[in-house]
Amino acid sequence: MKLDHIGIAVKNLEEAVRFYRDVLGLELEGIEEVPEENVRVAMFRVGDSRIELLQGTTQDSAISKFIEKRGEGIHHIAVRVNDVDRLAEVLKNKGATLVYERSKLVSRGSRKINFIHPKSTSGVLLELVERVSHE
Ligand code: CMX
């Protein structure tokens, strides 16, 4: 596993981008909407890893609910894996609670994701990300 990114829940993406890009000086890779997860995200490169800012686009989005309960802040840590479905099966067999029964294909098919519930990980939502190659 490699650290893919750290996800930060924000109320206002544009405002947060101004801080991370213009004040901190991080390189903005892009801003995109991820409708499968009801979020808009901004991705910044930090060395070999990234920081992802997420704003919910609906009231029932996981990000909106998180901010309502806990305020802005670190929402998840994402690790890159080779085969998210196979790993999810292995982890389930070892007693971990996965959030999705099946992984989700997001960002126009470029990423397959699933999450390990914070109750399995001592309180941290852990995202598993497989980068899908279309070669
Ligand atoms: N980190 C740590 N703990 C969290 C958490 C988070 N992100 N979200 C919820 N929790 C905790 C709550 O504090 C609560 O703890 P207590 O029981 O001790 O109070 C417990 O988990 C249950 O909280 P909840 O508000 O009832 O939350 P839900 O069970 O409704 O939802 C979760 C939690 C993880 C299943 C939901 O957020 C989810 O489905 N997440 C996966 C999808 C997602 O996060 N998408 C956004 C990111 C998309 C992307 O990266 O592209």
Side-chain angles (χ1 to χ4, degrees), residues 37-38 57-65 68:
E37 290 288 331
N38 298 317
T57 52
T58 59
Q59 269 191 341
D60 64 347
S61 130
I63 296 299
S64 310
K65 287 205 275 189
E68 200 180 294

Side-chain angles (χ1 to χ4, degrees), residues 37 52 62 66 69-70 75-76 99-100 115 118 123 125 127:
E37 290 288 331
E52 178 186 50
F66 177 86
K69 277 199 176 170
R70 302 164 60 132
H75 176 262
H76 64 264
V99 170
Y100 298 141
F115 294 84
L125 179 62
E127 179 178 356

Side-chain angles (χ1 to χ4, degrees), residues 3 15 18 49 128 130 133:
L3 182 62
E15 217 171 81
R18 275 199 290 279
S49 190
L128 308 173
E130 176 185 335
S133 148

Side-chain angles (χ1 to χ4, degrees), residues 1 14-15 19-20 22 31-32 52 64 69 85 100 106 110-114 127 135:
M1 287 182 184
E14 277 64 37
E15 217 171 81
F19 178 82
Y20 282 83
D22 303 338
I31 296 183
E32 68 162 324
E52 178 186 50
S64 310
K69 277 199 176 170
D85 292 314
Y100 298 141
V106 300
S110 65
R111 290 181 293 137
K112 243 189 209 183
I113 62 172
N114 203 338
E127 179 178 356
E135 284 155 19

